[in-house]
Amino acid sequence: MPQREAKFSVGAPPDEVWTFIRDFQSLCTCVPGVERIRLLDDRTAELTVKEKIGVVPLILTLTAQIDAEEPPRRLHATARAEHLTMEIDVTLQETDSGTEMLSLFKVKGEGQLKPVVDSLFEKRASERTAQFADCLKKRFGGVSPTNA
């Protein structure tokens, strides 16, 4: 199962960062490829995500759900689509300058699209992490990503 771990130093206190990551609407403004968000309840959202494979768009409808949380420290979520399961773990730790955010994404392609999903994740993970970090920087200032 392909996975990617990233660490960000965010210039905001953990409570503020927690409020951001816990709000699907706010968080998804920083997730590259998300085109539509529909809240189902306070723990579940339906997302339409678009990625290009060459010139062909791959459009997925994901159901994202928060499975467990320990505010304002830890969150575990899953996102599922027809040929994809993604697990997301986020840990926040207070630092002298704000918050350290550690994220771990595990992606599992399934069925006939498994090779496509796995390959796409491996090719785009670093680029998408940098885009997410840039969005965090615009929102909070003082963000510095480092690969964990």
Side-chain angles (χ1 to χ4, degrees):
M1 176 183 306
Q3 65 181 33
R4 181 66 47 123
E5 193 171 271
K7 194 182 290 188
F8 306 94
S9 295
V10 182
D15 287 340
E16 189 176 332
V17 178
W18 179 263
T19 299
F20 168 74
I21 65 167
R22 189 56 182 79
D23 178 350
F24 281 114
Q25 297 283 0
S26 295
L27 177 64
C28 287
T29 63
C30 284
V31 178
V34 174
E35 293 196 335
R36 186 183 64 81
I37 305 160
R38 184 170 70 97
L39 297 178
L40 303 177
D41 59 43
D42 70 329
R43 298 178 71 82
T44 313
E46 187 177 86
L47 313 171
T48 301
V49 179
K50 183 177 180 181
E51 278 289 343
K52 282 195 173 186
I53 304 170
V55 295
V56 178
L58 173 64
I59 300 171
L60 295 172
T61 300
L62 295 159
T63 300
Q65 179 173 338
I66 296 170
D67 300 315
E69 58 186 329
E70 297 173 32
R73 296 180 27 225
R74 287 189 179 93
L75 181 134
H76 176 80
T78 53
R80 290 183 173 84
E82 185 176 352
H83 296 282
L84 166 76
T85 299
M86 184 183 308
E87 291 185 35
I88 305 122
D89 287 291
V90 178
T91 304
L92 303 179
Q93 184 170 348
E94 188 170 9
T95 65
D96 291 340
S97 60
T99 303
E100 181 178 86
M101 176 191 290
L102 177 64
S103 65
L104 175 63
F105 288 84
K106 297 178 185 175
V107 173
K108 180 180 175 187
E110 299 165 349
Q112 65 190 34
L113 288 184
K114 178 181 178 17
V116 173
V117 169
D118 291 352
S119 175
L120 189 62
F121 180 77
E122 288 296 332
K123 288 179 183 174
R124 303 266 169 83
S126 295
E127 176 186 347
R128 297 301 184 239
T129 299
Q131 291 171 333
F132 183 75
D134 187 52
C135 186
L136 286 178
K137 184 176 183 177
K138 289 175 184 170
R139 183 169 184 99
F140 295 108
V143 173
S144 57
T146 56
N147 283 340

